[in-house]
Amino acid sequence: MGKSSNDPSDNKHEQPLQAVLIADTFDNAWHPITLESYHGDADGAKGKERPLVLCPLNNVPLLKHSIDFLQGAGVRELFLISTAGSDSLEQYLSSHSPNAQHSNNNNNHNSNHRASSTSVNKIIWSSKLTITLLRFSDCTNIGDALRELDRRNVIKSDPFILMQGDVITNVDLREVLVTHADRKKRDGSAIMTVLLSEVGGWGIDVEHDEGGDNPNAPPSTFGCEGNFFPPLRSSTDDLLLALDTTRGMDEARILLWDNHPSKSNASIPTSFFVENSSNITLTRNLLDIGLDICSPDVLARFSDEFDYRELRSQFVANCVSEEEIGLQSRIFGYVLRRGEYAGRPLGDMRRYHTVCMDVLRRWCYPLVPDNYHNRGSEGSKVEDAVANYVCERHYVYRDVGPNCRVMDHCSVIDSHLWGDVLIEEGAKLNGVIVCEGGIVRKGAVVERGCVIGKGCIVGEGVTLKEFTRITMVAEVEEEDDFSGFDESTSEEESSSEEEDDDEEEEQDGDEKEANVTNGKEGETIAEKGITDYKIVGPDGRGRVWTPSPPDEYDSEDEDDAAQEAAVELMKSQSIGYDMTLVYRKWKELQMEEDDNFSEEGRGSDDDDDNMDMDDEWDNDGIVDNYTNNVAASHLDEEGMLITGRQKGVDVIKELRDICMEHETSSPVENLRIELNSFKFSQNATYADCCKGAIMAVIDKILEKSESPSPAKLVSSLKKMLEYWGPLFQSICMGSEEERAIIHALEIMALGTGKAASVLGTEPAFRFVLQTLHDQEILNEDALFEWATERKEEGRDTPRGKLFFQKPTQDFLQWLEEESDEESESGDDDDDDDSD
């Protein structure tokens, strides 16, 4: 007999609607708040941290808004993915669920339980909604989380909703779901619909303060002159989209997704112009709201492309640029209509303030403050409400955080008090977040952009300078991680880590016992040790939190620049930051190409850097002396002089120097022309150009970081290829040039310079090869041809040792398996055609 009509394998689209909510944003924009405990546990305790989705938005945790929205959209099963603060999430769901019924493993949970990456908690939230908490503690990015979700095979509905944890919206998803499903029936490659909101582009009146054309523009809060700047945008995002609008904006196919504001140009495949020449729309006016309608094929793509870390800048950007018919994964956009609102408050604190104010202005109706106490889940009581706003005349709400006290003669402007907060007489706050238990003493002044962490105190009469964040979380060193490539950890390392964790727990217990009071307002010895009295005053409590440098800064020589960049990023993500500064910076970056090779761009520092490299560019440093490679590049592989090539000229070194001296502020096309001219003058080859270019790219990375870890090396390489990739695409004519790139990497890995110490360290060489393959600079044929050559190499030779490194062999084996699967798939298609 055939399968039943109710068989979920036959009727995915008829399955109850499922949704996936990502509880983390995988960045530190909300540090140190998200490092603090959610409830009375030790700050920084694993699993006890405050998840972003439990930050209050107008006194209501954002998670509650998300659950109510998804339940209203018809979702029957919600998967909540958590990588940090999972215990806090479970505690919240347990205490706020009307039914509070959990799955089997939840019954055994206790306060000392160490959650594993496979822990699952199921909660019956209402008669129509089940919430499953998935603890993915080993995932450090959204790509890993979606791959793990696919491995669990729990998503059965087609489509399903994929929602970031920091979304506030009132969009009606029913029409979007129907449109996506209908389109998927017509076109099986239409795997995703991205919801977008029209918010306006970068139209800041930057001359407003300097007597510009519009001096009478109405003033607005915190530097957004004349309201020309869309406040819902992130300081790190300027989204450029190319859309095929043949069917209108509601069904626009996305052809380009580029959210790199520092780039001065963008590329669209020419084949798209052939297909849609009269219907391509370029726009910067749309905001990604973090809400998608997806086919399960999206999860499968993440599993296939296991190096995808980011949902937007990698997965979506790559999918929409695919040209080959039949292999395309089409992604469409849906633009919210008039009256529909969307904002992402947890992207950074500046947007948090904006969304909070928008909700108070009732722009997200029916999500309005005076409905909070009526929006409880099925079976909840009115007294369970976390906020009870009353809308008064002129849409004024007279309510602050729970148990907050604001005393006489205070000034509190554009600030957020989260609960149990005390503001004493005469204190002034402007653009501040005060977490639970925070205290601002009498006469203190807290300037814009400041954050007062949980339990912190600003002492009497103290002035806390703008953009200062204070916390009671002890300072810890952050470890480097790289999960873009799935490398298993050995059993010895795992057991060793468990032993270390046990020792740390014992030490933590000893420290808790030693935390006796020292007689100063109940302050413990541990608290005294982390309090900076010069900042918070003699009666204050807390230390200044300093942001970590961005990943691209590794070198000790760049400590000052790295710290400055980190602080500036933190400021741009804070309440009250003047975004015209960001706009001017982006404008300068995008207009620098007009100057091309200006004298200012060729300072003495570049000459010094090149002189430092000369010492490392001797034959011993870059040539494998154990092979038959020729040291002098004016000779061919048989030692014969190449006709037309000047004797004594090291062509590879010269090509490398040309690339090193090139200013990336000018178009890469200029560099291609310069390389081409030198190539003709020396009768060189494109393979020579490829060698020099890849060596320059690696050396430029090492200029910024002398000894990067394999993870940071790959991260930096990917960023470099955003600029250098088009050059390699233009000079790599075939497998010969691609093999030349691999040979150049071998030479650097087997030399004696800085590159050797980095590339020769496992698994760096494999990571670099795989990154170049993923960026379509090296194809499988070139890699297989190189592997065939090296298989004949002795394992004891330098090249043999490099080639037979286990990570490199694992990568080659994976390539062969992928190639075999594609061949089998092609054979099956041929058989079907013949039938």
Side-chain angles (χ1 to χ4, degrees):
M1 295 179 62
K3 292 185 178 180
S4 168
S5 59
N6 295 323
D7 190 331
S9 63
D10 280 348
N11 300 281
K12 275 192 174 183
H13 61 284
E14 296 180 1
Q15 293 299 301
L17 182 61
Q18 295 175 311
V20 177
L21 182 64
I22 309 294
D24 304 285
T25 57
F26 302 103
D27 60 31
N28 61 358
W30 277 79
H31 284 182
I33 291 178
T34 50
L35 301 176
E36 299 170 343
S37 63
Y38 176 57
H39 282 304
D41 306 293
D43 286 334
K46 188 66 174 177
K48 306 293 184 181
E49 313 95 325
R50 182 205 306 268
L52 266 178
V53 293
L54 291 184
C55 290
L57 185 138
N58 295 337
N59 296 334
V60 177
L62 186 62
L63 179 59
K64 177 173 172 54
H65 291 310
S66 300
I67 294 175
D68 288 345
F69 168 75
L70 291 171
Q71 188 169 223
V75 173
R76 295 296 174 258
E77 187 172 14
L78 171 61
F79 294 94
L80 180 59
I81 294 179
S82 171
T83 62
S86 301
D87 291 349
S88 299
L89 279 172
E90 181 188 343
Q91 181 179 358
Y92 175 83
L93 292 172
S94 301
S95 59
H96 288 76
S97 167
N99 297 283
Q101 297 177 7
H102 299 69
S103 61
N104 295 334
N105 67 331
N106 186 51
N107 296 329
N108 299 324
H109 183 82
N110 58 73
S111 59
N112 296 322
H113 172 65
R114 182 187 300 274
S116 68
S117 61
T118 58
S119 297
V120 177
N121 301 101
K122 182 173 289 187
I123 297 173
I124 309 300
W125 185 262
S126 70
S127 62
K128 296 182 179 179
L129 179 64
T130 299
I131 301 177
T132 302
L133 175 61
L134 300 176
R135 299 167 177 259
F136 292 172
S137 58
D138 293 335
C139 298
T140 59
N141 56 76
I142 192 171
D144 287 346
L146 294 181
R147 276 184 284 274
E148 178 63 20
L149 181 67
D150 184 54
R151 190 185 68 81
R152 301 286 184 92
N153 195 30
V154 294
I155 299 301
K156 304 297 182 183
S157 70
D158 186 1
F160 71 95
I161 298 172
L162 178 60
M163 182 174 175
Q164 306 300 308
D166 61 334
V167 177
I168 286 291
T169 183
N170 62 352
V171 61
D172 187 349
L173 285 182
R174 290 173 296 183
E175 181 179 349
V176 190
L177 288 164
V178 171
T179 301
H180 175 92
D182 291 344
R183 182 166 51 236
K184 187 68 163 57
K185 290 178 181 178
R186 300 192 307 266
D187 182 359
S189 63
I191 65 172
M192 190 174 187
T193 300
V194 178
L195 274 71
L196 305 163
S197 177
E198 188 170 2
V199 296
W202 283 87
I204 304 178
D205 181 10
V206 295
E207 304 297 333
H208 179 77
D209 292 335
E210 303 171 7
D213 296 334
N214 189 18
N216 297 318
S220 59
T221 305
F222 298 139
C224 302
E225 297 101 344
N227 291 323
F228 286 99
F229 168 68
L232 291 174
R233 283 196 183 278
S234 166
S235 63
T236 58
D237 180 38
D238 182 20
L239 180 61
L240 172 65
L241 295 176
L243 305 172
D244 172 13
T245 55
T246 303
R247 294 176 175 268
M249 293 296 286
D250 289 349
E251 288 198 55
R253 179 187 170 192
I254 301 175
L255 304 177
L256 170 70
W257 184 286
D258 190 341
N259 56 352
H260 297 90
S262 61
K263 292 175 61 178
S264 59
N265 53 64
S267 301
I268 304 176
T270 54
S271 61
F272 292 163
F273 287 94
V274 175
E275 298 175 17
N276 314 280
S277 58
S278 62
N279 299 293
I280 292 182
T281 300
L282 288 172
T283 178
R284 298 170 69 195
N285 295 339
L286 298 176
L287 174 72
D288 169 26
I289 74 169
L291 184 59
D292 308 312
I293 310 300
C294 302
S295 163
D297 296 336
V298 170
L299 301 180
R301 279 291 302 264
F302 268 92
S303 295
D304 293 340
E305 305 288 344
F306 59 86
D307 62 327
Y308 281 149
R309 294 165 59 87
E310 303 295 334
L311 179 62
R312 293 293 191 252
S313 61
Q314 293 181 349
F315 174 75
V316 172
N318 288 346
C319 283
V320 301
S321 64
E322 292 171 341
E323 298 182 65
E324 188 173 349
I325 302 298
L327 297 179
Q328 296 171 327
S329 294
R330 296 174 182 247
I331 297 179
F332 290 78
Y334 176 91
V335 181
L336 272 60
R337 297 179 177 177
R338 186 177 181 87
E340 294 180 326
Y341 175 86
R344 302 184 66 176
L346 300 184
D348 56 52
M349 297 177 187
R350 185 183 58 83
R351 286 194 292 173
Y352 169 80
H353 172 70
T354 298
V355 175
C356 286
M357 297 303 295
D358 288 350
V359 172
L360 288 174
R361 296 184 185 108
R362 307 173 72 82
W363 289 359
C364 196
Y365 187 87
L367 175 57
V368 292
D370 42 310
N371 274 353
Y372 285 173
H373 66 283
N374 293 324
R375 292 177 60 82
S377 301
E378 178 182 315
S380 62
K381 302 177 182 178
V382 173
E383 56 265 32
D384 293 335
V386 291
N388 190 10
Y389 285 86
V390 176
C391 182
E392 299 184 359
R393 192 178 180 188
H394 302 303
Y395 300 113
V396 173
Y397 298 94
R398 301 187 184 278
D399 191 21
V400 294
N403 301 320
C404 291
R405 291 185 295 158
V406 180
M407 305 183 75
D408 295 337
H409 309 296
C410 293
S411 174
V412 181
I413 302 172
D414 289 320
S415 298
H416 304 263
L417 313 182
W418 280 6
D420 298 306
V421 170
L422 172 61
I423 311 296
E424 294 186 350
E425 294 95 336
K428 296 181 179 179
L429 290 78
N430 187 1
V432 179
I433 294 178
V434 186
C435 298
E436 296 88 349
I439 299 176
V440 181
R441 295 293 186 196
K442 182 178 179 180
V445 176
V446 186
E447 299 181 348
R448 61 173 180 155
C450 289
V451 174
I452 301 173
K454 184 177 179 180
C456 291
I457 301 174
V458 180
E460 183 174 344
V462 169
T463 296
L464 202 61
K465 295 183 178 180
E466 60 183 19
F467 306 117
T468 301
R469 301 184 183 185
I470 61 173
T471 182
M472 288 300 298
V473 176
E475 189 171 4
V476 295
E477 294 184 2
E478 296 185 3
E479 297 181 357
D480 294 337
D481 61 76
F482 182 73
S483 54
F485 300 91
D486 187 12
E487 291 294 328
S488 59
T489 305
S490 66
E491 295 182 0
E492 292 182 0
E493 291 175 342
S494 301
S495 60
S496 175
E497 289 176 359
E498 292 177 0
E499 292 175 1
D500 292 342
D501 290 340
D502 294 338
E503 291 178 1
E504 289 176 3
E505 286 184 355
E506 294 177 2
Q507 292 174 2
D508 291 342
D510 295 339
E511 289 176 0
K512 290 179 181 178
E513 294 178 1
N515 278 345
V516 296
T517 60
N518 66 357
K520 184 177 180 180
E521 296 186 5
E523 185 184 47
T524 66
I525 294 175
E527 290 170 347
K528 179 180 178 182
I530 65 173
T531 293
D532 188 347
Y533 295 108
K534 294 180 180 179
I535 301 297
V536 299
D539 56 342
R541 180 178 296 176
R543 70 172 180 88
V544 175
W545 177 81
T546 304
S548 301
D551 291 341
E552 59 264 27
Y553 292 91
D554 289 325
S555 174
E556 295 180 359
D557 298 334
E558 296 184 335
D559 282 347
D560 293 340
Q563 196 57 52
E564 182 181 350
V567 171
E568 192 61 30
L569 176 62
M570 179 194 73
K571 289 181 179 180
S572 72
Q573 296 174 333
S574 300
I575 300 175
Y577 187 79
D578 185 355
M579 291 301 294
T580 60
L581 302 176
V582 174
Y583 176 77
R584 289 191 180 102
K585 181 179 178 181
W586 289 2
K587 186 176 180 180
E588 290 173 1
L589 288 170
Q590 294 173 350
M591 297 300 292
E592 277 180 358
E593 67 179 28
D594 293 341
D595 298 332
N596 286 338
F597 295 94
S598 63
E599 292 298 324
E600 295 179 358
R602 297 179 180 272
S604 59
D605 291 342
D606 292 340
D607 296 334
D608 293 340
D609 291 342
N610 291 336
M611 290 177 64
D612 293 338
M613 292 301 301
D614 287 342
D615 294 337
E616 295 183 14
W617 205 262
D618 56 0
N619 291 341
D620 292 336
I622 67 165
V623 178
D624 179 8
N625 292 323
Y626 298 93
T627 69
N628 293 326
N629 285 351
V630 182
S633 59
H634 63 282
L635 304 178
D636 62 18
E637 294 183 353
E638 297 178 358
M640 301 298 293
L641 179 67
I642 299 177
T643 303
R645 185 170 295 188
Q646 184 178 351
K647 185 175 182 180
V649 174
D650 190 335
V651 173
I652 306 300
K653 181 179 184 297
E654 292 295 326
L655 289 166
R656 171 259 177 200
D657 288 344
I658 291 173
C659 294
M660 290 294 293
E661 294 171 5
H662 175 70
E663 297 290 341
T664 56
S665 59
S666 63
V668 74
E669 177 66 13
N670 293 355
L671 176 59
R672 188 192 69 80
I673 295 173
E674 192 172 359
L675 291 177
N676 213 31
S677 299
F678 183 85
K679 179 178 78 72
F680 282 116
S681 69
Q682 291 294 324
N683 196 20
T685 65
Y686 278 115
D688 296 331
C689 295
C690 288
K691 284 184 178 179
I694 194 63
M695 287 178 170
V697 168
I698 299 298
D699 286 336
K700 281 179 174 288
I701 294 173
L702 298 180
E703 280 184 339
K704 292 185 176 181
S705 177
E706 290 188 356
S707 301
S709 64
K712 290 192 178 294
L713 173 65
V714 171
S715 177
S716 300
L717 178 59
K718 287 184 177 180
K719 292 178 181 177
M720 293 284 285
L721 290 177
E722 292 177 3
Y723 178 85
W724 293 84
L727 174 68
F728 287 108
Q729 297 290 352
S730 63
I731 63 178
C732 283
M733 302 300 176
S735 60
E736 179 181 354
E737 288 77 18
E738 294 173 20
R739 290 200 310 274
I741 292 176
I742 305 175
H743 293 157
L745 293 171
E746 281 184 313
I747 290 173
M748 299 187 80
L750 299 176
T752 58
K754 290 183 293 187
S757 63
V758 175
L759 287 175
T761 302
E762 294 186 42
F765 192 77
R766 170 257 174 97
F767 281 0
V768 171
L769 291 181
Q770 184 164 349
T771 301
L772 293 173
H773 171 263
D774 294 337
Q775 300 296 319
E776 299 183 351
I777 294 171
L778 300 178
N779 63 32
E780 291 87 347
D781 293 338
L783 287 162
F784 290 152
E785 291 171 7
W786 167 73
T788 301
E789 296 172 0
R790 293 295 174 261
K791 285 178 181 178
E792 305 299 325
E793 196 79 32
R795 289 178 176 266
D796 294 332
T797 66
R799 285 199 306 199
K801 290 179 180 178
L802 182 67
F803 172 75
F804 286 105
Q805 286 181 352
K806 186 178 185 303
T808 302
Q809 293 301 307
D810 290 343
F811 171 55
L812 292 172
Q813 181 180 355
W814 176 81
L815 278 180
E816 291 177 355
E817 292 174 354
E818 287 289 306
S819 178
D820 292 339
E821 290 178 3
E822 291 177 3
S823 299
E824 292 175 1
S825 176
D827 293 339
D828 292 340
D829 293 341
D830 293 339
D831 292 339
D832 293 339
D833 292 339
S834 62
D835 292 337

